[in-house]
Amino acid sequence: MGIAYRERLLARVVTRAAAKGQPASYEVQDAHGASLAVVTRAPARSDGAGRTRWTVRQTGREPAVGLKGRLF
């Protein structure tokens, strides 16, 4: 990672699961590899009903849920 402007690693995102048409989940880790949060993206239904749903889960906190097209 020899790019000069990257002085230090703050966090990384690791894909936990991703399959077409299925919910995808990503883990956000700190510089030491400790988990900060899990972000899940559930796609809208294939029949066009519903919206894409995003959920952020942090340890010890209530999940934050957002739907595509809405502020949360």
Side-chain angles (χ1 to χ4, degrees), residues 11-30:
R12 77 173 46 104
V13 177
V14 179
T15 303
R16 293 174 69 184
K20 188 172 183 165
Q22 299 296 315
S25 63
Y26 308 91
E27 183 174 15
V28 181
Q29 300 174 345
D30 70 10

Side-chain angles (χ1 to χ4, degrees), residues 8-72:
R8 66 179 190 200
L9 177 68
L10 298 176
R12 77 173 46 104
V13 177
V14 179
T15 303
R16 293 174 69 184
K20 188 172 183 165
Q22 299 296 315
S25 63
Y26 308 91
E27 183 174 15
V28 181
Q29 300 174 345
D30 70 10
H32 305 289
S35 182
L36 298 173
V38 174
V39 179
T40 305
R41 178 189 179 275
R45 295 185 353 207
S46 61
D47 64 3
R51 296 178 180 205
T52 300
R53 179 184 184 102
W54 290 88
T55 305
V56 178
R57 291 180 179 10
Q58 292 178 289
T59 304
R61 297 191 179 203
E62 290 292 318
V65 178
L67 299 175
K68 182 177 178 180
R70 291 190 183 172
L71 296 175
F72 75 99

